[in-house]
Amino acid sequence: MNNTTSGKSNVPAIVVMFALFFMIAFVTNLAGSMGVIVTNQFGASKALSQLGTLANFIAYACMGIPAGIILKRKGYKFTSRAAVIVGLVGVAIQFLSGYIGSFAVYVTGAFVAGFSMCMLNIVVNPMLNTLGGGGNKGNQLIQWGGSCNSIGGTLAPIFVGWLVGGSIADASVSKAAPVMIIAMSIFAIAFVVISLTNIPEPHMETPEEKAARLSGTVVKDKHSALSFRHFVLGAVAIFFYVGIEVGIPNTANVYFSGLDWVGPAITGTFIGAYWFCMLIGRLVGGAVGSKFSSKSMLLVTSLAAIVFILCAMFIPESVTVTLGSNVVPISLAFLVLCGLCTSVMWGSIFNLSVEGLGKYTAAASGIFMTLVCGGGIIPFLQNLLADTVGSMNSYWLIILCLAYLLFYAVSGSKNVNKDIPVE
């Protein structure tokens, strides 16, 4: 059996991919959690509070295709090591911004960190799908990796929320410094571990392909990943999905943290609970991923998310639940429950999109990552709406995005280009 799909020899590589999944969410959610801080320290509006997240995800649009090329030419190990170095630099710039007192430096750091997140995503998703053997098993392994992603996503907002404290008036970048130091330390450790781990290279160009490229005798393939309708529609689905995943908690974080009777600490804890719900969902998805199709998982979770968001929008803020000495709006709780739904969407969409692509998988992953910029654009647009029509009404944009995911699950994910050779 090939090394990329065999048993115990793949365990170290799988563990490394899981660790990288953790870092993707931890650093990405660090940018989202900082939205509360920049509204205070830099006087940003709701829309401008998302500039860190926007910069983080716009980096995907800039780096997606180049990172795919790097992966093809240099392989998974080189790409992942380069990614963690870039990530360390990006977080370090954000760390310095609090002491310099510059919003521009903070956004620059988020942008640099975004390059790292893009490169890491390009590594972990096709690798886990390949190690799992594709199909439902590949989806299952991505869901398990997504569980590690959720752990990182859960910890970041909780850490930031409690470091800031009970009032948004106390929020500053320097208060979140311990979280950034943790992130930089993990990046440094990751570099060492990756260097010592044997990582399969199933999609790296062959010596013959490299020689042909360098000599300029490469025969241009008349087909590409974009020749597949289900992949193109899947890339668009990822644009909307990442916007949904990030927009739901980011908008809620800025809005509820600004309410005196809720505050950053409690809101940060609940936003952490959103990512914890994603962890639960991914653990369940990993357990049942080989028994249920990606299509059915995407269909059910999209419908459920629409129901939860409608409940959050139409239940008055005055309807609350008391947890200890804290009063929490029920509407926030329904937004937290959306994490159960968004948990398995990424793996399902990725699995459906690359199914049957064969030799086009590596290039497809680069294109795929380019569309992840939706995670910055959708929350920014949502908070532009929030500045004019109110934060809760801005969730209509999220519902429209979920409607597209329903379309993709029902018909858009069907491979209608099976006549294209992929070997």
Side-chain angles (χ1 to χ4, degrees):
M1 184 177 288
N2 189 290
N3 183 47
T4 61
T5 57
S6 59
K8 292 185 178 179
S9 62
N10 289 327
V11 172
I14 292 172
V15 171
V16 170
M17 294 304 119
F18 283 1
L20 295 181
F21 244 135
F22 174 93
M23 287 308 299
I24 290 169
F26 190 86
V27 176
T28 300
N29 284 9
L30 178 61
S33 302
M34 295 286 283
V36 175
I37 291 175
V38 300
T39 56
N40 179 60
Q41 184 171 353
F42 302 119
S45 64
K46 287 188 173 98
L48 291 178
S49 74
Q50 299 304 303
L51 275 186
T53 300
L54 179 61
N56 192 277
F57 280 99
I58 286 297
Y60 282 79
C62 300
M63 194 62 186
I65 293 176
I69 295 172
I70 294 172
L71 176 62
K72 179 69 176 176
R73 296 183 181 179
K74 297 292 187 178
Y76 286 98
K77 190 165 189 172
F78 176 91
T79 306
S80 58
R81 287 197 298 179
V84 296
I85 292 173
V86 173
L88 193 154
V89 172
V91 175
I93 294 172
Q94 293 179 74
F95 175 81
L96 291 174
S97 71
Y99 298 94
I100 298 173
S102 171
F103 185 49
V105 171
Y106 161 73
V107 174
T108 300
F111 182 67
V112 173
F115 280 108
S116 173
M117 300 308 100
C118 176
M119 295 169 74
L120 290 179
N121 261 308
I122 282 179
V123 167
V124 298
N125 287 283
M127 174 56 76
L128 285 178
N129 194 49
T130 299
L131 292 173
N136 286 356
K137 289 290 186 180
N139 179 39
Q140 183 180 37
L141 201 53
I142 292 176
Q143 299 299 347
W144 284 118
S147 299
C148 298
N149 184 270
S150 295
I151 294 173
T154 299
L155 294 176
I158 292 177
F159 283 171
V160 173
W162 285 99
L163 285 170
V164 170
S167 173
I168 197 171
D170 299 325
S172 65
V173 176
S174 59
K175 278 203 167 187
V179 183
M180 299 184 199
I181 293 172
I182 291 172
M184 289 186 285
S185 300
I186 295 175
F187 273 130
I189 294 170
F191 181 85
V192 175
V193 173
I194 292 168
S195 299
L196 298 175
T197 303
N198 179 35
I199 298 177
E201 300 289 356
H203 301 125
M204 191 173 178
E205 67 179 356
T206 63
E208 293 77 15
E209 290 173 332
K210 182 178 180 179
R213 173 172 59 82
L214 294 176
S215 65
T217 59
V218 177
V219 178
K220 185 175 177 60
D221 195 332
K222 66 178 181 178
H223 296 295
S224 71
L226 294 175
S227 301
F228 295 83
R229 171 182 172 270
H230 73 289
F231 169 72
V232 174
L233 295 178
V236 176
I238 276 296
F239 177 88
F240 288 130
Y241 160 69
V242 185
I244 293 165
E245 177 192 343
V246 178
I248 291 173
N250 278 20
T251 301
N253 194 27
V254 173
Y255 176 60
F256 288 102
S257 291
L259 299 178
D260 292 337
W261 53 284
V262 183
I266 297 302
T267 301
T269 301
F270 270 78
I271 297 306
Y274 166 88
W275 297 102
F276 185 72
C277 282
M278 288 188 67
L279 169 61
I280 295 173
R282 282 169 171 168
L283 288 173
V284 174
V288 305
S290 62
K291 300 176 183 177
F292 295 92
S293 70
S294 300
K295 180 178 292 189
S296 61
M297 291 171 72
L298 182 59
L299 176 63
V300 171
T301 53
S302 297
L303 282 171
I306 290 174
V307 172
F308 287 147
I309 290 176
L310 288 174
C311 289
M313 292 174 66
F314 288 101
I315 293 177
E317 286 178 14
S318 57
V319 179
T320 61
V321 60
T322 301
L323 300 176
S325 60
N326 303 303
V327 178
V328 181
I330 291 292
S331 54
L332 176 57
F334 273 108
L335 293 176
V336 167
L337 289 175
C338 288
L340 294 171
C341 305
T342 56
S343 60
V344 298
M345 289 178 177
W346 172 275
S348 298
I349 296 171
F350 185 86
N351 184 261
L352 290 169
S353 297
V354 302
E355 193 70 22
L357 263 59
K359 65 181 180 180
Y360 302 108
T361 299
S365 186
I367 299 170
F368 206 69
M369 288 307 111
T370 301
L371 274 295
V372 170
C373 64
I377 295 172
I378 297 297
F380 181 75
L381 293 177
Q382 185 182 0
N383 280 273
L384 276 178
L385 285 174
D387 283 329
T388 56
V389 301
S391 293
M392 297 311 294
N393 283 330
S394 72
Y395 279 94
W396 282 114
L397 177 61
I398 301 299
I399 289 178
L400 289 176
C401 295
L402 286 165
Y404 180 86
L405 298 191
L406 281 176
F407 154 74
Y408 187 68
V410 173
S411 65
S413 57
K414 183 179 180 180
N415 184 357
V416 297
N417 303 106
K418 294 182 178 179
D419 56 323
I420 298 176
V422 297
E423 298 301 329

